[in-house]
């Protein structure tokens, strides 16, 4: 609707295909649904989920039973994620109910880049000083808690992470990082792999062994190394 478009101006609009083969589109506090199979031109359903006033959906992650909806809320319209204490949560929605089943507090100001890592849901949060004195944190769901794995000075955007086996590639602020290793002889830890041509945030993909394609916000760059 017009109100949805107005509410979503200047905000992230993550899109994911759920376990039910429906395309889910986030806009501000709402999730909308598009069924591309039924109907002459598909079927659009407005506001299938509402996170309530003040919340902004920044990432989503589909699982077999739930669509995990990640969102943040700042104290004022002028506040930013780095200098104001806000809230970040993940909302568990079962694809059909009028509201979410549960929500988990991520204990930070902002959340983005939801993904699967080692067969577990994961995300990046940002704002409050955490792991190693860093504002950016990678969190993995383990035993019911979103535990911090490592810290970064910044955070990636959606699609700015790629998980390959036990290894995670991250692009943020013109730098390419890796965490973990597929080789048991290498220690677990964060590595800085390369400085990219730009200084922005963009996508990263490991498209074949030893080669990663990353974007620093303006162009694509191939990085070839002997990644462990």
């Amino acid at each position: 609707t017009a109100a949805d478009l107005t509410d979503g101006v200047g905000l992230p609009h993550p899109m994911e295909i759920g376990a039910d083969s429906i395309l889910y589109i986030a806009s501000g506090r709402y999730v909308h649904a598009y069924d591309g199979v039924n109907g002459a031109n598909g079927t659009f359903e407005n506001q299938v989920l509402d996170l309530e006033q003040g919340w902004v959906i920044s990432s989503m992650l589909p699982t077999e039973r739930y669509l995990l909806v990640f969102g943040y809320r700042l104290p004022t319209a002028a506040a930013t994620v780095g200098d104001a204490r806000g809230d970040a949560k993940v909302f568990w929605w079962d694809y059909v109910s009028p509201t979410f089943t549960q929500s988990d507090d991520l204990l930070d100001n902002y959340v983005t880049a939801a993904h699967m890592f080692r067969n577990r849901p994961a995300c990046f949060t940002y704002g409050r000083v955490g792991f190693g004195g860093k504002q950016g944190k990678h969190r993995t769901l383990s035993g019911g808690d979103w535990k911090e794995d490592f810290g970064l000075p910044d955070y990636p955007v959606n699609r700015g992470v790629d998980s390959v086996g036990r290894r995670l590639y991250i692009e943020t602020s013109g730098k390419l990082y890796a965490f973990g290793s597929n080789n048991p002889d290498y220690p677990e830890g964060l590595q800085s792999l390369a400085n990219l041509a730009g200084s922005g945030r963009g996508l990263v993909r490991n498209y074949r062994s030893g080669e990663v394609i990353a974007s620093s916000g303006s162009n694509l760059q191939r990085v070839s190394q002997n990644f462990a």
Side-chain angles (χ1 to χ4, degrees), residues 10-196:
L11 298 176
H13 291 84
M15 295 185 290
E16 296 288 347
I17 297 176
D20 53 0
S21 299
I22 302 296
L23 175 64
Y24 292 100
I25 308 157
S27 180
R29 60 193 260 194
Y30 302 112
V31 176
H32 311 299
Y34 177 72
D35 180 351
V37 176
N38 297 305
N41 297 302
T43 303
F44 180 80
E45 188 174 357
N46 192 49
Q47 299 181 12
V48 294
L49 181 66
D50 179 358
L51 296 191
E52 301 176 350
Q53 186 67 36
W55 286 99
V56 176
I57 298 167
S58 50
S59 197
M60 297 189 292
L61 181 66
T63 68
E64 187 64 30
R65 187 175 177 186
Y66 293 99
L67 180 66
L68 303 188
V69 180
F70 296 77
Y72 67 96
R73 180 176 61 183
L74 295 176
T76 66
T80 63
V81 296
D83 62 9
R85 188 179 179 89
D87 297 296
K89 290 185 177 183
V90 52
F91 301 84
W92 298 68
W93 182 55
D94 64 5
Y95 297 102
V96 294
S97 297
T99 188
F100 52 86
T101 302
Q102 71 177 61
S103 64
D104 300 339
D105 193 341
L106 297 172
L107 304 175
D108 219 331
N109 298 353
Y110 183 70
V111 58
T112 186
H115 57 281
M116 296 297 293
F117 182 50
R118 299 175 181 174
N119 298 317
R120 294 177 178 177
C123 64
F124 280 86
T125 66
Y126 182 80
R128 306 178 197 177
V129 175
F131 200 104
K134 306 295 185 182
Q135 283 187 288
K137 282 83 68 180
H138 182 265
R139 298 177 184 270
T140 304
L141 183 61
S142 178
D145 295 321
W146 293 84
K147 297 181 179 179
E148 294 183 26
D149 302 311
F150 60 89
L152 286 172
D154 204 353
Y155 59 89
V157 294
N158 291 320
R159 310 297 189 232
V161 297
D162 194 18
S163 177
V164 183
R166 295 185 58 81
R167 193 164 173 82
L168 185 71
Y169 295 100
I170 312 113
E171 191 287 326
T172 181
S173 300
K175 295 184 181 294
L176 178 64
Y177 298 92
F179 176 79
S181 174
N182 291 319
N183 189 331
D185 295 329
Y186 281 74
E188 186 93 320
L190 182 69
Q191 299 173 322
S192 179
L193 298 181
N195 292 320
L196 304 176

